[in-house]
Amino acid sequence: MAIGSPFKADILKGKVALITGGGSGIGLEISTQFGKHGAAVAIMGRRRQVLDAAVAALRQEGIRAIGLEGDVRKREDAARVLEATIKHFGRLDILVNGAAGNFLASPEDLSPNGFRTVIDIDSVGTYTMCYEALKYLKKGEPGKGPSTGGLILNISATLHYTAAWYQIHVSAAKAAVDSITRSLALEWGTDYDIRVNGIAPGPIEGTPGMRKLAPEEMKSAHYDRPLYRFGEKWDIAMAALYLASDAGKYVNGTTMVVDGGLWLSHPRHISKEEVKELSRQVEKKSRTSDVHQPSSKL
């Protein structure tokens, strides 16, 4: 069970955030925590029923929230949703690109159209939203706009750091997202005072993504290892809060990995006891070899 927030309740007071994919899973938790910490939130998604339910839940928490239907793959939708956010709340301070597509597929069974669909949602969609949001997020001229630029958070993954089975499409898409994050941080950070960062979640329980990637029907010893523990949506939302608050004001161009160190792990082929015994044998053999080694003559 998630613990209480370590952040002050007003750290995002007066801020306005737009979260794509904000109607469910990690996106909804980010929307909820941003709202609980003072921000007004607009959530963007393709399913009106999901948006309406999410907005109702947010408003029950006392959060100022609206739901805006749109597809991040369509530039006209991106522009319309951003304009509606500005019209309703009067400003935009934070853009969270959380919309994503995923499914399990081996490369030989994944058509180019299937590959392209994920690229279009995750990579092209992220860039499209950033592109259309620029004029609202960039630092204004003295007296004509915000004194500092806004923030962009791109939700990524760790799959492409090495390689992942049946995830060639998402690995490629998220590698592109990480590159977009770094490039925009460099250029828009310099020119417009906009910070651009990413968050790479590990396996997070209770999300649509995990229901697709680790369904109940797919039982494997891999998921039973102690190291392979699920994170909580709250963990990702807290990372987003840190990056969105003044605590993260000097962080730009980085993708924060929030996975408990999972991506660093590898299967343990031998036990600790076996390692100790093998080490002793190797050291003993090495010392014996050194004793019998003939000395060299200069």
Side-chain angles (χ1 to χ4, degrees):
M1 181 177 292
I3 59 175
S5 169
F7 296 99
K8 293 182 179 179
D10 62 351
I11 59 168
L12 297 184
K13 184 178 180 179
K15 302 287 187 181
V16 174
L18 169 61
I19 299 98
T20 71
S24 63
I26 289 171
L28 179 55
E29 184 66 14
I30 291 174
S31 301
T32 301
Q33 294 300 334
F34 276 15
K36 285 183 175 181
H37 289 80
V41 297
I43 57 176
M44 177 182 179
R46 288 179 289 172
R47 296 172 292 171
R48 172 50 60 185
Q49 185 176 359
V50 173
L51 285 174
D52 289 345
V55 169
L58 291 168
R59 288 178 177 173
Q60 283 184 346
E61 296 279 357
I63 296 168
R64 297 169 60 205
I66 58 172
L68 300 167
E69 197 170 355
D71 189 334
V72 297
R73 293 173 292 182
K74 299 177 180 178
R75 184 178 175 186
E76 60 271 22
D77 281 13
R80 174 177 51 78
V81 166
L82 282 156
E83 288 171 4
T85 300
I86 298 300
K87 183 177 180 180
H88 190 88
F89 291 122
R91 59 185 292 164
L92 179 67
D93 301 281
I94 305 165
L95 169 65
V96 180
N97 288 304
N102 201 353
F103 49 87
L104 293 168
S106 58
E108 60 269 28
D109 296 325
L110 177 64
S111 71
N113 281 340
F115 186 93
R116 184 180 300 111
T117 295
V118 174
I119 294 290
D120 283 347
I121 297 172
D122 290 42
S123 308
V124 181
T126 290
Y127 181 73
T128 300
M129 292 301 300
C130 292
Y131 181 85
E132 293 297 330
L134 173 61
K135 58 181 172 286
Y136 305 116
L137 292 172
K138 66 182 180 180
K139 180 179 179 179
E141 297 177 15
K144 296 183 179 180
S147 58
T148 59
L151 169 73
I152 296 172
L153 287 178
N154 298 324
I155 305 302
S156 185
T158 62
L159 303 169
H160 53 290
Y161 294 173
T162 52
W165 288 94
Y166 317 125
Q167 292 286 275
I168 188 172
H169 46 323
V170 182
S171 295
K174 293 305 189 183
V177 169
D178 285 359
S179 181
I180 290 169
T181 295
R182 291 189 296 270
S183 294
L184 292 185
L186 170 67
E187 300 201 47
W188 288 2
T190 301
D191 293 340
Y192 305 116
D193 200 21
I194 295 173
R195 288 191 300 119
V196 187
N197 290 301
I199 300 174
I204 304 299
E205 64 183 356
T207 61
M210 287 312 300
R211 286 193 287 272
K212 289 182 179 181
L213 301 182
E216 288 295 322
E217 296 82 359
M218 188 175 71
K219 294 296 184 181
S220 166
H222 177 75
Y223 294 103
D224 295 332
R225 294 188 195 130
L227 241 169
Y228 197 95
R229 60 185 181 275
F230 290 99
E232 299 178 354
K233 291 173 283 189
W234 181 90
D235 296 315
I236 310 306
M238 290 300 107
L241 272 173
Y242 164 72
L243 292 170
S245 73
D246 286 343
K249 66 183 177 60
Y250 198 52
V251 182
N252 191 31
T254 192
T255 295
M256 180 184 293
V257 178
V258 186
D259 77 337
L262 178 64
W263 83 271
L264 300 170
S265 67
H266 298 279
R268 184 178 295 175
H269 298 294
I270 57 177
S271 69
K272 290 182 179 180
E273 291 71 22
E274 289 175 299
V275 170
K276 291 179 182 178
E277 181 59 30
L278 284 170
S279 180
R280 282 194 292 264
Q281 291 178 13
V282 170
E283 287 297 320
K284 183 177 179 181
K285 184 177 179 181
S286 177
R287 287 194 297 270
T288 303
S289 176
D290 289 342
V291 169
H292 293 92
Q293 185 74 20
S295 58
S296 60
K297 295 182 179 180
L298 298 179

